[in-house]
């Protein structure tokens, strides 16, 4: 059997296992391992596995995930999230979908300090989901908002996928971050618009409350000062150069713990629940990573993503059509693959070819940055698109009573704005490149 | 059997949370020292990497016990509970296999790294600790999933209803 | 029959090592073998695992060919680490020749199951800072500096800086926000991370003194894979490895300085050449590192002092031969 056939069988096997209630992690691991075994001799598979757990669990960039989860749990168990959403409800609760919009705004604020969409959706979901539920929001709208809002973790800088892109293509990460600024804000506005429209069309999804009088609004605002302090410390610390984003996660966790203690709401039972909640979600995420790693190592051997990419860039069509085709390829691959590995396996082939195309007359650096933002957009889509949408899994692991199919249904209108934004970037590179010419 | 595993998984998750808290405190101290006297804690990055890896591995059994490892139930919703039990048994078995394989191979990796005298870069901590520390969590996860598979088979035979996520 | 070798390495496809070393080597063995030897290149660790795990992967036959830095796995290659001590090498070429000879004499047993095809060091490492230039020993005081190896971490601490640990890809973000004040690196990797756009000052050291630091590279093949090749293909590998090949790669690294340095010049960055007289203070300050290396190696049953002397002699020999 040739490598391509094996690769195809691996994909099919994975999808079948997933459909048959096999945990996602094992559904990736088992076909991946079998494929690897079929393609190599001797004990290569067993030796590959000697290092894979250590390799994935010690990645410094991913260390933020359990730390931010812990922070979210402390905030929830310590009553900070409730205070935050009471304040939000006081100001925007009378607007249809107001709390969902507030959740998007908090995801955006959180995205400004956290570079991972998984950590962002997990943290924001822990904080916001119980509150949205308490305020009578429909599970579909609540989970879809949080899954899509979570992508702001990578769409708004800092952003781990952009760092990976910068390394693979030798670009300036500061310029890439600047370029992601406007698209990130557009994403946020797009999500808020979706909530407004969806709530107008289906009023039963969110029930607005009566407007809160201004004195009570100010009082509610007073209750959230500890959160504001923690956020200012983390945000200021990262942007002021006191600590790195990974260190910021630790500062955030400790700060939130102290703030929760200060409110005298975090008791032993609360700490226990925080630990157990963190354990469940972070283990679930890393278990999927462990499965995806096996799949990716095998896919690298099949060279399938590489060959696909190679075929794509040699299509006899206009340069812009090739870029569009690449975006489609990424959306498709992103449906069944982990996004970072997808970049790792295709960018090395695609990038040099893209650089050879004439695109809007851009110079090489601008072209590279623009393409990076387009890739980022599709990575964001991949995080919520079925069937393998890591963000959706994360949100559903916290919001257990909402069926995953409901979340996917709710995510669709959000995905529409993602696609629209990506197309806009394709035709108007200045949307992302404008800030660079301004800053650098 | 499950009760012992349950207690162990709970204990592991506690330890996992404590280790993550330890890492957070260590990092905050390092950041503070760096800002105050330009002298961070030596090897703070290494400690974070090793600590978080250990913490996650300790959390794995609890997540499996609570059935927190994500499954797609969309396509099998209409099937009888008995079939779903059988599918869950197969799923838990495959996950058990994956974790057992990883636990075994990671232990073998620990032996090799120990024989090679590999250490971390800054603190010179033995690298085999990192490998060895991950094995217990992975192994316990395999055990938990194995016992769950067996219980699902029994449930399929009894025809009992499906448990929700978060139930053993 | 045709043999495909899985070539796993750490660099992306545009990196100097990919373009000027790995690709040409693969083309060469394909040509020399009449198309019977082929590489399947897995760049940027896409085959899985971490850079420190490459040495085990090639030993175990997960990968057939790898290039890695023994320094990633501290403690595992104590003998080769001698070339990572401060103020040893003068050029990558001379370093490569010395490292190859030294490897044959002292370090082959550190690579069981592995056939080392070449070894070399990178060109001189320098100091790059963001807000203030480093001219004298006193300037290190209070600087938060990222160091690439175990020895450079110790060196920076001895010079008065506070070493900050972080992976290479984290440098751009950390330096642009000021989380670190600077880092030590040779010229070559700067443009690939666009670091010349994020620092202003570069301190180079007087060429009459050895390099502030360097790091060792190893290009290796799985021994069993090599043994399984028919004699004519073994010959192809032999012809494209060894002392001469190591020297050739060293030259590639020496040649990499120009373009990277020019990129920094074009930005209008400030350059400073630390004079020999000042460097002598630095050498003196770093003296404890040699003793501690000799002590460590001797403790593991090797003639540490002799090895250090041999490494120095070899470096001197190839330096004069240049
Ligand atoms: Na972000
Ligand atoms: Na996806």
């Amino acid at each position: 059997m040739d490598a391509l056939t094996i690769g195809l069988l691996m994909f099919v096997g994975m999808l079948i296992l997933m459909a048959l209630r096999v945990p996602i992690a094992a559904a990736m691991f088992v076909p991946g391992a079998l494929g690897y075994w079929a393609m190599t001799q001797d004990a290569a598979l067993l030796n590959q596995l000697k290092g894979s757990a250590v390799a994935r669990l010690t990645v410094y960039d991913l260390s933020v995930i359990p730390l931010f989860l812990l922070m979210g749990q402390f905030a929830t168990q310590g009553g900070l999230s409730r205070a935050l959403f009471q304040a939000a409800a006081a100001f925007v609760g009378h607007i249809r979908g107001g709390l969902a919009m507030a959740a998007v705004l908090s995801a955006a604020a959180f995205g400004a300090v956290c570079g991972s969409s998984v950590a962002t959706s997990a943290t924001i979901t822990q904080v916001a989901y119980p509150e949205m539920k308490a305020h009578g929001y429909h599970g579909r709208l609540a989970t879809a908002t949080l899954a899509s809002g979570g992508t702001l973790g990578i769409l708004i800088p800092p952003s781990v996928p952009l760092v990976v892109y910068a390394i693979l293509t030798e670009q300036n990460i500061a310029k890439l971050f600047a370029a992601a600024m406007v698209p990130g804000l557009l994403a946020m506005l797009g999500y808020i618009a979706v909530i407004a429209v969806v709530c107008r069309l289906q009023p039963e999804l969110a029930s607005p409350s009566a407007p809160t009088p201004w004195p009570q609004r100010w009082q509610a605002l007073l209750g959230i000062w500890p959160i504001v302090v923690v956020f200012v410390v983390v945000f200021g610390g990262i942007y002021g150069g006191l600590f790195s984003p990974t260190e910021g996660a630790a500062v955030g966790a400790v700060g939130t713990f102290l703030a929760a203690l200060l409110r005298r709401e975090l008791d032993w039972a609360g700490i226990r629940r925080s630990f157990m909640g963190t354990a469940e979600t972070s283990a679930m995420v890393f278990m999927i990573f462990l499965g995806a790693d096996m799949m990716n190592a095998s896919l690298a051997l099949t060279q399938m993503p590489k060959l696909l990419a190679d075929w794509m860039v040699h299509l006899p069509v206009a340069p812009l059509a090739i870029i569009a085709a690449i975006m489609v390829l990424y959306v498709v691959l992103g449906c069944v693959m982990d996004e970072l590995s997808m970049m790792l396996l295709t960018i090395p082939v695609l990038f040099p070819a893209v650089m050879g195309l004439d695109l809007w007359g851009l110079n090489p650096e601008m072209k590279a940055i623009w393409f990076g933002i387009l890739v980022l957009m599709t990575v964001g889509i991949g995080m919520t698109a079925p069937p393998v949408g890591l963000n959706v899994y994360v949100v559903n692991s916290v919001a257990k009573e909402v069926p995953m199919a409901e979340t996917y249904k709710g995510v669709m209108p959000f995905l529409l704005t993602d696609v629209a934004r990506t197309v806009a970037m394709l035709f108007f590179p200045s949307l992302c490149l404008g800030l660079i010419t301004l800053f650098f | 059997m499950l009760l012992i595993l349950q207690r162990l998984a709970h204990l592991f998750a506690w330890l996992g949370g404590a280790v993550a808290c330890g890492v957070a405190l260590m990092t905050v101290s390092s950041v503070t020292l760096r800002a105050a006297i330009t002298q961070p804690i030596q090897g703070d990055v290494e400690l974070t990497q090793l600590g978080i890896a250990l913490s996650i591995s300790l959390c794995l059994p609890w997540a499996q016990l609570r059935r927190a490892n994500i499954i797609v139930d969309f396509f099998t919703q209409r099937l009888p509970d008995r079939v779903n039990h059988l599918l869950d048994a197969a799923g838990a078995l495959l996950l058990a296999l994956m974790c057992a394989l990883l636990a075994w191979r990671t232990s073998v990796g620990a032996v090799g790294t120990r024989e090679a005298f590999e250490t971390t870069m800054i603190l010179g901590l033995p690298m085999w600790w990192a490998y060895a520390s991950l094995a217990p969590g992975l192994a316990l996860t395999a055990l938990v999933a194995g016992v769950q598979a067996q219980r699902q088979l029994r449930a399929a035979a009894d025809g009992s209803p499906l448990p929700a996520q978060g139930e053993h | 029959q045709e043999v495909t070798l899985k070539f796993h390495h750490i660099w992306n496809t545009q990196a100097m090592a990919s373009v000027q070393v790995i690709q040409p080597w693969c083309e060469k063995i394909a040509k020399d073998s009449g198309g019977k030897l082929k590489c399947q290149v897995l760049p940027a660790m896409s085959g899985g695992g971490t850079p420190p795990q490459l040495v085990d992967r090639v030993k175990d036959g997960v990968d057939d060919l790898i290039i890695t830095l023994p320094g990633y796995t501290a403690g595992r290659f104590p003998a080769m680490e001698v070339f990572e001590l401060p103020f040893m090498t003068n050029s990558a070429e001379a370093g490569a020749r010395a490292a190859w000879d030294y490897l044959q004499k002292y370090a082959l047993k550190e690579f069981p199951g592995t056939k080392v095809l070449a070894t070399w060091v990178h060109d001189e490492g320098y100091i790059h800072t963001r807000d203030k230039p480093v001219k004298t020993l006193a300037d290190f005081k209070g600087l938060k500096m990222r160091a690439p190896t175990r020895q450079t971490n110790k060196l920076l601490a001895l010079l008065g800086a506070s070493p900050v640990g972080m992976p290479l890809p984290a440098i751009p973000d950390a330096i642009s926000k000021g989380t670190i004040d600077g880092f030590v690196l040779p010229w070559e990797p700067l443009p690939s991370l666009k670091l010349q756009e994020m620092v202003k000052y570069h301190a180079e050291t007087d060429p009459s003194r050895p390099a502030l630091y360097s790091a060792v590279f190893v290009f290796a093949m799985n021994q069993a894979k090599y043994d399984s090749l028919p004699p004519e293909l073994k010959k192809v590998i032999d012809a494209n490895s060894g002392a001469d090949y190591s020297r050739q790669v060293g030259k590639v690294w020496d040649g990499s300085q120009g373009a990277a340095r020019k990129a920094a010049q074009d930005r209008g960055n400030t350059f400073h050449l630390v004079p020999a007289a000042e460097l002598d203070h630095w050498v003196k300050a770093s003296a404890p590192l040699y003793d501690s290396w000799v002590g460590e190696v001797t403790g593991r049953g090797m003639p540490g002092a002799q090895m250090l002397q041999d490494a120095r002699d070899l470096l001197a020999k190839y330096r004069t031969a240049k």
Side-chain angles (χ1 to χ4, degrees):
Chain A
M1 226 184 320
D2 66 339
L4 276 185
T5 318
I6 294 177
L8 219 59
L9 285 176
M10 279 173 7
F11 267 135
V12 173
M14 178 186 84
L15 292 176
I16 291 178
L17 288 180
M18 277 184 189
L20 293 179
R21 290 178 70 100
V22 171
I24 305 279
M28 293 177 150
F29 185 90
V30 172
L34 289 175
Y36 200 93
W37 182 59
M39 279 181 290
T40 54
Q41 303 97 30
D42 305 327
L45 170 65
L46 291 181
N47 287 325
Q48 156 88 15
L49 289 174
K50 282 204 301 197
S52 48
V54 168
R56 183 52 109 157
L57 300 188
T58 56
V59 176
Y60 188 58
D61 274 342
L62 299 180
S63 305
V64 298
I65 293 177
L67 293 173
F68 273 133
L69 281 168
L70 203 54
M71 169 176 161
Q73 284 286 347
F74 286 150
T76 307
Q77 304 298 336
L80 294 164
S81 335
R82 203 175 54 242
L84 184 67
F85 273 79
Q86 263 164 10
F91 280 87
V92 296
H94 58 286
I95 303 172
R96 269 201 191 284
L99 279 192
M101 294 173 188
V104 170
L105 284 177
S106 5
F110 194 74
V113 296
C114 173
S116 142
S117 67
V118 170
T120 305
S121 26
T123 313
I124 294 297
T125 304
Q126 281 170 350
V127 171
Y129 179 71
E131 302 306 320
M132 284 162 85
K133 201 171 72 175
H135 283 84
Y137 273 65
H138 191 281
R140 186 197 306 163
L141 175 66
T143 53
T145 300
L146 294 165
S148 303
T151 62
L152 295 174
I154 52 171
L155 297 178
I156 291 179
S159 169
V160 173
L162 268 190
V163 173
V164 172
Y165 178 85
I167 293 161
L168 289 175
T169 62
E170 311 198 332
Q171 296 306 310
N172 184 328
I173 188 61
K175 287 184 187 170
L176 276 164
F177 281 176
M181 216 66 143
V182 171
L185 290 175
L186 285 179
M188 183 191 81
L189 293 175
Y191 296 159
I192 290 178
V194 166
I195 294 167
V197 172
V198 167
C199 287
R200 185 156 290 265
L201 295 177
Q202 294 168 286
E204 70 279 9
L205 291 182
S207 45
S209 50
T212 313
W214 279 99
Q216 272 156 277
R217 291 187 184 187
W218 295 127
Q219 205 174 357
L221 210 53
L222 271 182
I224 66 165
W225 70 266
I227 308 175
V228 175
V229 170
V230 173
F231 185 78
V232 167
V233 167
V234 173
F235 188 87
I238 290 175
Y239 286 87
L242 276 181
F243 40 79
S244 68
T246 309
E247 291 164 340
V251 175
V254 172
T256 312
F257 180 72
L258 292 178
L261 280 188
L262 218 68
R263 280 180 61 98
R264 295 170 192 282
E265 271 193 52
L266 189 63
D267 51 7
W268 270 113
I271 292 178
R272 194 192 79 87
R273 281 194 297 272
S274 304
F275 278 22
M276 297 304 138
T278 304
E280 263 187 47
T281 310
S282 52
M284 182 278 287
V285 168
F286 278 89
M287 189 68 97
I288 293 179
F289 284 155
L290 287 175
D293 274 351
M294 188 67 254
M295 194 58 160
N296 299 328
S298 300
L299 279 177
L301 285 191
T302 65
Q303 298 200 295
M304 199 155 71
K306 200 176 141 186
L307 291 173
L308 258 176
D310 208 24
W311 169 76
M312 193 122 286
V313 290
H314 291 105
L315 288 175
V317 291
L320 208 57
I322 292 185
I323 300 291
I326 292 173
M327 297 300 108
V328 173
L329 169 77
Y330 271 7
V331 170
V332 173
L333 276 183
C335 288
V336 287
M337 266 181 90
D338 146 52
E339 277 64 30
L340 286 185
S341 328
M342 172 179 93
M343 290 171 68
L344 203 60
L345 297 182
T346 56
I347 293 283
V349 186
L350 285 176
F351 184 72
V354 167
M355 293 310 280
L357 301 175
D358 176 33
L359 294 155
W360 305 112
L362 294 170
N363 71 33
E365 191 185 22
M366 290 299 131
K367 200 173 3 180
I369 290 174
W370 172 66
F371 183 60
I373 300 303
L374 285 174
V375 171
L376 179 68
M377 297 290 139
T378 51
V379 168
I381 293 176
M383 300 304 291
T384 51
V388 183
L390 201 46
N391 274 20
V392 172
Y393 298 165
V394 168
V395 172
N396 276 85
S397 81
V398 178
K400 288 201 176 77
E401 66 272 18
V402 183
M404 203 183 294
E406 275 290 297
T407 309
Y408 275 131
K409 219 183 281 173
V411 155
M412 291 306 153
F414 291 93
L415 275 175
L416 267 183
T417 65
D418 287 331
V419 172
R421 179 167 18 87
T422 312
V423 172
M425 294 296 142
L426 192 61
F427 286 100
F428 303 100
S430 57
L431 277 176
C432 49
L433 300 177
L435 272 190
I436 301 182
T437 25
L438 205 69
F439 281 165
F440 292 91
Chain B
M1 180 64 175
L2 190 67
L3 192 69
I4 304 171
L5 292 183
Q6 221 167 309
R7 291 250 166 90
L8 261 180
H10 192 249
L11 175 72
F12 271 36
W14 255 113
L15 286 174
V19 172
C21 283
V23 166
L25 280 175
M26 183 276 302
T27 305
V28 171
S29 320
S30 184
V31 166
T32 313
L33 288 171
R34 195 168 71 206
I37 57 168
T38 70
Q39 203 54 248
I41 293 176
Q42 278 293 294
D44 50 357
V45 170
E46 287 172 15
L47 290 172
T48 302
Q49 287 174 306
L50 301 191
I52 293 296
L54 170 63
S55 163
I56 292 162
S57 74
L58 290 173
C59 295
L60 294 172
W62 179 252
Q64 179 56 27
L65 188 82
R66 299 269 300 161
R67 302 162 52 83
N69 285 314
I70 292 283
I71 58 167
V72 178
D73 56 6
F74 179 70
F75 299 98
T76 49
Q77 267 168 349
R78 305 260 160 106
L79 297 177
D81 278 0
R82 196 178 287 267
V83 177
N84 276 320
H85 274 305
L86 283 176
L87 290 176
D88 279 353
L93 209 61
L94 288 180
L95 194 113
L97 183 79
M98 165 184 170
C99 291
L101 202 56
L102 283 171
W104 169 42
R105 296 318 293 170
T106 305
S107 311
V108 174
V111 174
T113 335
R114 180 159 182 235
E115 282 164 358
F117 296 104
E118 226 173 284
T119 66
T120 62
M121 187 117 71
I122 312 285
L123 294 175
L125 301 173
M127 200 50 206
W128 71 268
W129 290 3
Y131 285 76
S133 73
L134 303 187
L138 287 164
L140 185 59
T141 314
L143 267 178
V144 168
V147 171
Q148 279 174 332
Q150 186 219 341
R151 286 167 60 96
Q152 295 285 2
L153 279 180
R154 205 180 314 147
D158 299 349
S160 43
L162 274 186
Q165 265 194 338
E167 285 175 31
H168 321 311
Chain C
Q1 84 286 16
E2 267 189 24
V3 181
T4 304
L5 300 171
K6 276 177 282 173
F7 197 151
H8 200 195
H9 65 83
I10 52 177
W11 290 285
N12 66 47
T13 36
Q14 298 90 258
M16 186 269 289
S18 284
V19 179
Q20 294 187 45
V21 177
I22 293 158
Q23 220 171 289
W25 190 86
C26 287
E27 281 162 15
K28 183 86 186 329
I29 59 157
K31 190 168 142 263
D32 290 1
S33 64
K36 280 189 186 147
L37 276 178
K38 278 201 312 204
C39 295
Q40 180 189 356
V41 181
L42 298 165
M45 296 306 302
S46 50
T50 62
Q53 289 172 345
L54 281 172
V55 286
D56 269 329
R57 292 174 64 97
V58 76
K59 173 174 145 259
D60 296 337
V62 182
D63 304 321
D64 300 321
L65 296 162
I66 57 129
I67 298 182
T68 189
L69 287 87
Y72 284 151
T73 43
R76 181 159 181 165
F77 304 103
M80 283 316 276
E81 201 187 19
V82 76
F83 292 100
E84 305 197 344
L85 286 167
F87 304 109
M88 293 288 288
T89 66
N90 264 97
S91 70
E93 186 187 352
R97 300 179 73 186
W100 179 262
D101 289 0
Y102 177 92
L103 172 85
Q104 306 307 313
K105 188 163 177 193
Y106 290 116
L108 279 181
K109 59 182 176 304
E110 292 182 349
F111 297 91
T114 311
K115 182 173 174 61
V116 179
L117 300 183
T119 181
W120 62 92
V121 303
H122 66 59
D123 48 296
E124 296 201 26
Y126 295 124
I127 302 153
H128 313 273
T129 45
R130 191 180 112 112
D131 301 318
K132 80 184 210 226
V134 171
K135 293 182 172 168
T136 67
L137 211 44
D139 293 329
F140 280 106
K141 187 94 197 112
L143 282 190
K144 288 168 289 185
M145 302 272 292
R146 186 266 180 184
T149 63
R150 189 164 83 115
Q151 294 297 341
T152 40
N153 262 285
K154 296 183 183 175
L155 171 69
L156 284 172
L158 283 172
L159 297 180
S162 58
V164 179
M166 67 178 64
L168 185 73
I171 298 180
D173 197 41
I175 192 90
S176 57
K177 294 198 181 112
T179 316
I180 52 173
D181 300 307
F183 49 85
V184 293
L185 275 183
W187 277 113
E188 189 268 321
L190 261 70
S192 62
L193 295 165
K194 293 280 190 283
L195 287 171
Q196 77 280 6
E197 299 179 6
M198 299 165 190
V199 293
K200 243 180 123 166
Y201 301 96
H202 308 279
E204 297 173 305
T205 52
D206 191 292
S208 71
R209 294 292 179 275
L212 176 70
Y213 93 99
S214 188
V216 180
F217 292 82
V218 163
F219 174 20
M221 183 171 184
N222 175 264
Q223 184 72 50
K225 189 77 187 183
Y226 175 82
D227 293 340
S228 76
L229 294 177
E232 78 271 16
L233 294 188
K234 272 187 191 145
K235 254 185 230 148
V236 173
I237 300 286
D238 294 344
N240 290 288
S241 61
D244 280 343
Y245 183 69
S246 298
R247 179 183 186 180
Q248 210 178 309
V249 180
K251 267 191 197 163
V252 172
W253 249 265
D254 278 330
S256 70
Q257 286 187 1
R261 195 175 185 279
K262 185 167 176 304
Q265 271 173 329
D266 293 346
R267 295 266 315 164
N269 288 355
T270 310
F271 289 69
H272 175 71
L273 186 72
V274 184
E278 171 63 25
L279 276 176
D280 291 339
H281 297 304
W282 299 19
V283 176
K284 218 162 107 193
S286 56
L289 289 181
Y290 304 99
D291 299 335
S292 83
W293 181 83
V294 168
E296 256 177 67
V297 174
T298 312
R300 284 171 65 171
M302 288 178 269
Q306 181 60 44
M307 287 159 77
L308 177 61
Q309 194 51 52
D310 268 11
R312 283 185 161 143
D313 291 347
L314 282 167
L315 285 165
K317 171 179 155 195
Y318 288 121
R319 178 171 155 77
T320 44
K322 197 166 135 184

